[in-house]
Amino acid sequence: MCGLTGFFDASGAMPADEMARVIEAMATTIHHRGPDDGGSWIDTSAGIALGSRRLAIVDLSQEGHQPMFSASGRYVIAFNGEIYNYGEIRRELDQTGVQWRGGSDTEVLLAAVERWGLEAALKRTVGMYALALWDRQERVLRLARDRMGEKPLYYGWFGSTLLFGSELKTLRPHPDFRPEIDRGAVALFMRHGYVPSPWSIYDGVRKLQPAAIATFRSNAGADSVSIQSYWSLSQAAQEGARDPFRGSDLEAKNALKDHLERAVRGQMVADVPVGAFLSGGVDSSALVSVMQSLSDRPVRTFTIGFDEARFDESEHARVVARHLGTDHTDLHVSPNDALNVIPHLPWIYDEPFADPSQIPTVVLSRLTRRHVTVSLSGDGGDELFRGYDRYLRAEQIRGVMDRFPSPVRRALCSGAMSISPAAWDRALGLLRQNGGRLSGHRVHAAAELLTQRSDAGLYRSMMSVWPDADSVVIDGVPRPTAFADPAVWTRVDHFHDRMMHLDQLDYLPEDLLVKVDRASMAASLESRAPFLDHRLVEFAWTIPLGMKMRNAKSKWLLRQLLYDYVPAQLIDRPKMGFAVPLAEWLRGPLRDWSEDLLSERRLTEEGFLDPARVRADWTEHLSGERDWKHKLWTVLMFQTWLDAERAQAPTPGVHREAAIVG
């Protein structure tokens, strides 16, 4: 696992010594992604510079040093990630007489590129990665990213210079970098809680999308870029629907086991200690169960717990770990421990990012890194196997939409919204005493959803933090995205498949994988996600919906596999998620901090967000009248990021990174 960066300016305007100094400074900004080794390479005549930081996972020797040359010297690569099936590719290349210098997956990838070309080589890979490949013969730069979007890659033109890197902070040391905040991207952030690709918070800087190869043949600017895909998630979904799995339940479970075992076995390969995140939920428990079945020693597992019982899954994780016989470590986190993470979030995430579970993810990554260098996670299980509660909730709301015409629904919803959440809570108190989960806030949320006129509108409303983000952001017109594209919504046929499809295209890579990548890499920890092995993803799309949800049980097929390892009574409970008591924190220990960031004077002077809208929600939240924690967190994360952006502090160096890891 590494971090990469670079620039391309064929004008030859920068002297060699300056190129060397700049690329070294750019690479230093991502020391945390690769504290074990670093390197840079420049070609003054071509105007190309590549920089790398290395977290040594496979082949710890200097033979894995980057940037790396191919055997012929034609290609130079900076590579961030892992090729899990590099052994198979290496054995195939052995038949062609390749002479190996070391044992790294990067060397194998370069040999594959020389043999088959980049696109064909990537189609053979199973892995997570981002890469920059310079062809010295054709003077062509190619950037590429893995199929599911686990590893990040930014790029953008500033004058005649193309800048690129694993994180936005790598671009800042270059003298041509002149960032300007994109108000359209701010509107996207307010809607989603993240800035979805291909956009970034800066005008002119893009994220390379998953499964894409970008080719730059000159430094003529954005018009010179050619982008092609070497794999398609939408095509995998369509093909799965056309040719679904037709075997029995037992045959489906055994096929799933084979796929998951193959993915886990490949991702357990490392020359450093490996562990796993374990929450005690279905996904992580299934993952750890398979890991333990493949291991001849106890697997290292890690979790954290909170003081607030309704947010604490640590006891569930301990019970599962004890049953499986893992070597388990947990850490009980106080509110202060978690809140101390907040000042570091702008540096860790580079862009505004507002998934509140980023806080425990950062804390868990730091804990885990004290013991191992690689940790496997259950990310992707919900999106592949219909695991989210909102899938069932959407189905229920859709049923009501089908039964009642729009005018009737609007009248009913208006009546429901006229009663405050607190009054609903009093009226529903008996239900909650009897174990019901209905609350006044849920009634209001359902009423808002029932006003939607279409299935696509229902999904987008459920997935929007600020549904009217363009009216909250001053002069902010949202950029076009797959999330809002009607053509993307209709690529698959069924409502449930459409939700999972868009979740895999948008929410998974833009929120969940960003959250885990930045949090783990800030701690110099490599996180791997076996559920995102593209072969497993393709298989999951062949599984009929009736095997994903049955008898009101989500992830039914995955549960059947898990029950072979862990008794159902240890697993079957309401889904908690990786949450923090954010609503209470905003009214308590975070109130003064929030009040400063949300002050009307400050919002007015900054000129990005409508002060009246923000202050109204803040006032309602403080009173307990409404729960606006998610909307307010997006504002707070933007304000915190804006503080860091305007401070223009020097990029953190080795010493600060070491402090953050510790």
Side-chain angles (χ1 to χ4, degrees):
M1 179 61 63
C2 307
L4 67 89
T5 188
F7 60 91
F8 177 31
D9 181 3
S11 69
M14 187 179 290
D17 59 344
E18 179 72 359
M19 288 182 69
R21 186 193 65 78
V22 170
I23 193 61
E24 180 64 26
M26 293 172 72
T28 298
T29 64
I30 49 172
H31 181 278
H32 52 284
R33 295 187 78 94
D36 297 329
D37 187 26
S40 60
W41 172 82
I42 64 172
D43 182 337
T44 310
S45 64
I48 184 75
L50 299 178
S52 175
R53 293 300 316 184
R54 185 184 184 209
L55 179 64
I57 303 295
V58 175
D59 187 358
L60 309 186
S61 74
Q62 277 299 105
E63 296 300 333
H65 178 78
Q66 294 188 41
M68 184 182 292
F69 283 83
S70 65
S72 71
R74 175 177 174 177
Y75 297 102
V76 189
I77 195 170
F79 179 79
N80 164 29
E82 302 290 345
I83 306 295
Y84 300 125
N85 66 330
Y86 78 97
E88 299 170 21
I89 299 173
R90 180 174 174 133
R91 287 188 290 274
E92 185 176 358
L93 290 167
D94 281 339
Q95 307 304 312
T96 68
V98 174
Q99 298 298 309
W100 304 103
R101 293 163 289 173
S104 72
D105 55 345
T106 306
E107 183 182 358
V108 172
L109 179 60
L110 274 172
V113 170
E114 287 209 304
R115 182 69 179 177
W116 302 305
L118 180 60
E119 181 179 0
L122 293 182
K123 286 181 176 180
R124 282 175 160 85
T125 63
V126 177
M128 59 172 184
Y129 45 78
L131 63 88
L133 181 76
W134 175 251
D135 185 336
R136 300 173 74 196
Q137 178 177 305
E138 296 186 6
R139 292 200 168 193
V140 169
L141 174 68
R142 291 184 173 88
L143 306 178
R145 198 170 172 212
D146 66 71
R147 293 173 177 84
M148 296 300 291
E150 293 185 68
K151 292 292 104 181
L153 190 53
Y154 294 86
Y155 69 95
W157 289 101
F158 291 86
S160 64
T161 305
L162 173 71
L163 305 178
F164 53 90
S166 297
E167 298 182 13
L168 277 174
K169 63 175 64 70
T170 68
L171 313 186
R172 192 171 293 279
H174 197 284
D176 290 346
F177 184 59
R178 297 289 186 272
E180 294 185 9
I181 297 173
D182 182 348
R183 288 178 180 265
V186 176
L188 286 177
F189 168 71
M190 293 297 290
R191 173 182 282 276
H192 298 279
Y194 52 83
V195 182
S197 64
W199 314 106
S200 84
I201 194 63
Y202 296 132
D203 186 27
V205 179
R206 300 288 183 263
K207 300 182 183 86
L208 186 63
Q209 293 180 292
I213 300 172
T215 302
F216 303 86
R217 297 188 179 277
S218 72
N219 64 331
D223 291 341
S224 70
V225 180
S226 170
I227 298 180
Q228 65 185 99
S229 296
Y230 62 91
W231 182 82
S232 169
L233 175 65
S234 298
Q235 184 177 337
Q238 292 164 352
E239 291 177 354
R242 284 197 298 266
D243 187 19
F245 186 89
R246 292 181 170 84
S248 67
D249 291 347
L250 178 60
E251 289 169 331
K253 183 184 74 171
N254 290 337
L256 174 58
K257 179 180 180 180
D258 290 342
H259 279 282
L260 188 55
E261 282 187 347
R262 178 174 61 175
V264 170
R265 186 180 290 108
Q267 298 196 23
M268 289 175 68
V269 174
D271 296 329
V272 293
V274 177
F277 298 148
L278 176 63
S279 69
V282 173
D283 303 332
S284 66
S285 297
L287 167 67
V288 171
S289 296
V290 172
M291 285 182 72
Q292 190 60 71
S293 72
L294 298 174
S295 178
D296 58 3
R297 65 186 66 182
V299 171
R300 295 299 307 266
T301 54
F302 305 90
T303 193
I304 58 173
F306 291 93
D307 291 335
E308 294 83 353
R310 63 195 175 98
F311 296 96
D312 184 21
E313 289 189 301
S314 60
E315 179 56 32
H316 301 304
R318 279 194 293 272
V319 170
V320 172
R322 191 179 307 122
H323 179 83
L324 293 173
T326 71
D327 181 359
H328 190 64
T329 301
D330 61 20
L331 173 69
H332 207 70
V333 181
S334 71
N336 282 339
D337 292 329
L339 299 179
N340 286 338
V341 168
I342 291 175
H344 300 299
L345 294 178
W347 177 82
I348 291 173
Y349 286 93
D350 272 339
E351 294 186 279
F353 185 77
D355 183 334
S357 62
Q358 66 200 114
I359 295 175
T361 304
V362 170
V363 176
L364 179 59
S365 295
R366 293 176 179 177
L367 163 68
T368 304
R369 184 61 177 91
R370 297 173 190 169
H371 304 276
V372 299
T373 310
V374 175
S375 185
L376 276 60
S377 79
D379 289 311
D382 284 313
E383 290 78 11
L384 265 62
F385 297 101
R386 201 174 180 268
Y388 290 121
D389 291 342
R390 56 181 163 80
Y391 292 152
L392 180 59
R393 191 164 73 252
E395 182 178 18
Q396 294 168 340
I397 291 172
R398 188 168 176 252
V400 176
M401 291 171 64
D402 289 341
R403 285 195 297 273
F404 296 95
S406 182
V408 174
R409 282 189 281 115
R410 286 199 298 272
L412 290 173
C413 292
S414 178
M417 295 287 284
S418 68
I419 302 172
S420 72
W424 274 113
D425 283 341
R426 289 191 293 272
L428 297 167
L430 182 60
L431 285 177
R432 287 199 304 279
Q433 290 174 10
N434 292 329
R437 302 179 69 186
L438 196 59
S439 68
H441 295 302
R442 285 177 176 264
V443 170
H444 274 226
E448 290 172 354
L449 293 173
L450 282 168
T451 63
Q452 298 301 313
R453 299 175 182 271
S454 67
D455 290 347
L458 171 60
Y459 172 80
R460 290 171 187 142
S461 181
M462 295 184 79
M463 299 301 292
S464 296
V465 183
W466 288 82
D468 56 345
D470 53 339
S471 68
V472 178
V473 179
I474 299 170
D475 297 327
V477 178
R479 302 292 192 179
T481 63
F483 175 84
D485 187 345
V488 175
W489 175 255
T490 57
R491 283 179 188 170
V492 293
D493 291 334
H494 300 291
F495 177 60
H496 303 99
D497 282 343
R498 287 172 173 174
M499 288 192 292
M500 289 188 290
H501 175 238
L502 263 178
D503 277 353
Q504 291 175 34
L505 281 175
D506 185 87
Y507 178 65
L508 177 64
E510 311 297 352
D511 185 309
L512 300 185
L513 299 183
V514 169
K515 175 184 66 181
V516 174
D517 173 80
R518 306 306 191 277
S520 60
M521 285 279 85
S524 302
L525 173 74
E526 175 174 305
S527 178
R528 299 177 175 179
F531 284 112
L532 300 185
D533 181 312
H534 74 276
R535 300 165 300 184
L536 179 52
V537 172
E538 291 170 349
F539 170 71
W541 275 108
T542 71
I543 299 173
L545 281 171
M547 289 185 179
K548 293 178 179 178
M549 170 69 78
R550 186 179 297 181
N551 301 325
K553 288 286 187 184
S554 63
K555 294 185 277 198
W556 181 85
L557 184 62
L558 185 59
R559 288 176 187 271
Q560 304 316 300
L561 174 59
L562 176 56
Y563 296 157
D564 288 346
Y565 300 96
V566 179
Q569 61 267 26
L570 300 187
I571 298 296
D572 289 346
R573 61 180 187 279
K575 184 178 179 66
M576 295 177 69
F578 203 29
V580 295
L582 185 60
E584 293 83 355
W585 284 359
L586 292 176
R587 298 186 185 106
L590 285 181
R591 179 167 180 168
D592 291 343
W593 170 77
S594 302
E595 186 64 60
D596 177 62
L597 292 170
L598 302 178
S599 74
E600 184 173 5
R601 175 194 57 78
R602 175 174 176 154
L603 291 167
T604 301
E605 289 176 354
E606 289 167 346
F608 283 99
L609 306 177
D610 181 348
R613 296 287 306 282
V614 173
R615 293 297 302 180
D617 283 358
W618 177 233
T619 300
E620 287 185 350
H621 185 83
L622 288 178
S623 71
E625 181 181 347
R626 296 296 303 268
D627 181 358
W628 294 128
K629 58 179 178 288
H630 293 299
K631 296 176 74 174
L632 293 168
W633 190 247
T634 59
V635 178
L636 290 165
M637 285 296 94
F638 178 71
Q639 296 294 92
T640 304
W641 176 84
L642 197 59
D643 269 354
E645 176 71 7
R646 289 182 169 174
Q648 293 292 311
T651 305
V654 176
H655 297 298
R656 182 181 174 190
E657 288 152 4
I660 289 175
V661 171

